[in-house]
Amino acid sequence: MSPSREAPEDQVDTSDVGGLDEVVPEPLMPVWRQIERIQSFRETHGDTYVTALEILTAIALAVGYVWWVYLYFYGGGISL
C-alpha cells in the first residue's frame, strides 16, 4: 500500500454509529433493553461493583475455609 492511500478502515465514517438497535428483531427488544441497562450500570458503577464483589467473594471463601477447618478438627467424632 502506498503511503498516500488511506487504509480501508480509515475510509469508513464511524462518527454516527449506533448500537445494535438497528439489527435486533422487534420480539427481542425487551431482552436487548435489559442488556443495555446492565451495560449502562457497569459503565457507571463498574469499579465499585467489582470491588464489592471481590470483597464478598473473599469473605465467602474465608468463611468456607474456617468452616472446613472446624469440621476437620472438631467434626465427625474423630480425635487426634
Side-chain angles (χ1 to χ4, degrees):
M1 177 177 353
S2 67
S4 63
R5 297 187 64 188
E6 291 184 32
E9 55 270 7
D10 293 335
Q11 296 173 3
V12 177
D13 180 25
T14 58
S15 61
D16 190 27
V17 176
L20 291 176
D21 292 340
E22 301 91 28
V23 295
V24 174
E26 189 62 36
L28 295 177
M29 285 309 286
V31 175
W32 178 246
R33 296 287 177 234
Q34 292 298 323
I35 292 171
E36 285 180 330
R37 287 181 60 208
I38 291 169
Q39 293 300 330
S40 173
F41 176 83
R42 289 177 67 194
E43 289 172 2
T44 305
H45 305 291
D47 294 336
T48 305
Y49 181 68
V50 169
T51 302
L53 284 179
E54 287 175 346
I55 291 170
L56 290 174
T57 302
I59 290 170
L61 289 172
V63 167
Y65 179 73
V66 168
W67 180 249
W68 177 83
V69 168
Y70 172 78
L71 290 178
Y72 183 78
F73 288 115
Y74 301 111
I78 300 174
S79 62
L80 297 174

